[in-house]
Amino acid sequence: MRIIASDLDGTLLNSQSKVSKENFDAIEELLKKDVYFVPASGRTLSEVPEVIRENENIRYIIYSNGAAIRDKKTDEDILMCISKAEAKAVWDILYSYKTHITMRFGGNCYIDEECQTESDYEFYNVWNLHKEVINEYGIRKKNFKSFCYEADNIEVMSVFFHDDADKEECRKRLCDTGLVRVVEGWKCNLEICSIEAGKGSALSVLAQK
């Protein structure tokens, strides 16, 4: 084996979002055997805990559901993202529904500053773990819709809906474009990324590298 990959939440990270000393010791031992331990997360890079990002025994991090791979040694990224041109068609569909959107690109998490109250979260069925992540890492933006349309190389759009029937209709419309991969996360939630992205795809790219 040359690569061992692991999810973060509920896998490498415990219920307190910590990594045990035993696991860090094992990661160090793997590297001595020329085996890369690679965290693979739905989170974007800035949301990956610092103890993982700065661990000297971890060189590669797959983030944003496989939309990007960071090589910490060279400080370079391999990107499998949604282009600005592709994203326009997606935004046009998403903004025809009542949605709560988190956009991840450039290794950061961006949110609309005008819809981050508890009543907003309840209305759009935003689940607790997502609330915790965006409240800690989310960069609040004014004129969020315009900001979204101008973004290029988008890693992930995480979208929550008020109505589950709207989510199903939207999912079908997005899939019909053939431009993006759409994954159903939680109730009333869709995760949208490039058709080329995915943790498995990113692992294949890293294996070839």
Side-chain angles (χ1 to χ4, degrees):
M1 289 182 292
R2 294 301 311 280
I3 298 172
I4 293 178
S6 171
D7 192 18
L8 290 185
D9 295 297
T11 309
L12 182 63
L13 299 177
N14 63 20
S15 58
Q16 287 78 45
S17 293
K18 305 292 184 183
V19 181
S20 69
K21 180 181 182 302
E22 290 83 358
N23 278 335
F24 273 140
D25 288 346
I27 290 168
E28 183 177 2
E29 289 301 312
L30 285 169
L31 189 59
K32 291 177 182 177
K33 299 178 184 295
D34 292 326
V35 178
Y36 290 107
F37 180 85
V38 181
S41 178
R43 301 182 182 214
T44 194
L45 191 62
S46 64
E47 301 166 20
V48 174
E50 187 175 344
V51 292
I52 295 174
R53 284 187 283 117
E54 297 190 356
N55 187 287
E56 63 183 5
N57 297 312
I58 296 175
R59 175 173 175 177
Y60 300 103
I61 298 175
I62 294 172
Y63 60 95
S64 289
N65 278 335
I69 307 167
R70 167 58 59 93
D71 183 342
K72 291 167 49 186
K73 184 176 181 179
T74 63
D75 205 31
E76 295 175 333
D77 292 287
I78 300 171
L79 300 178
M80 293 158 280
C81 297
I82 305 170
S83 70
K84 180 179 178 180
E86 292 169 333
K88 182 183 183 303
V90 177
W91 293 128
D92 287 347
I93 293 171
L94 291 179
Y95 276 107
S96 66
Y97 298 92
K98 292 181 179 179
T99 57
H100 183 284
I101 298 172
T102 300
M103 179 176 65
R104 293 177 167 92
F105 85 103
N108 290 310
C109 166
Y110 296 92
I111 54 178
D112 188 342
E113 72 169 14
E114 296 182 3
C115 59
Q116 304 303 325
T117 66
E118 283 300 322
S119 59
D120 290 321
Y121 299 150
E122 182 177 355
F123 182 80
Y124 291 107
N125 302 289
V126 179
W127 35 284
N128 288 332
L129 179 59
H130 189 79
K131 286 193 293 183
E132 292 172 9
V133 170
I134 62 176
N135 283 327
E136 183 171 357
Y137 300 101
I139 300 172
R140 299 181 179 228
K141 299 293 291 187
K142 294 182 178 180
N143 303 314
F144 182 71
K145 182 177 179 179
S146 298
F147 178 73
C148 289
Y149 272 91
E150 288 302 313
D152 196 9
N153 285 323
I154 297 167
E155 298 160 12
V156 174
M157 306 161 180
S158 183
V159 187
F160 289 84
F161 293 78
H162 172 66
D163 185 83
D164 201 46
D166 282 353
K167 182 202 77 170
E168 287 301 316
E169 181 181 279
C170 182
R171 181 189 62 79
K172 185 178 185 307
R173 291 175 64 190
L174 291 170
C175 290
D176 287 346
T177 67
L179 296 173
V180 290
R181 182 189 303 276
V182 184
V183 178
E184 296 185 60
W186 204 255
K187 176 180 170 63
C188 293
N189 170 249
L190 296 175
E191 299 278 322
I192 304 159
C193 60
S194 167
I195 200 74
E196 298 177 351
K199 292 178 183 176
S201 300
L203 275 170
S204 294
V205 169
L206 185 56
Q208 292 170 23
K209 176 181 172 64

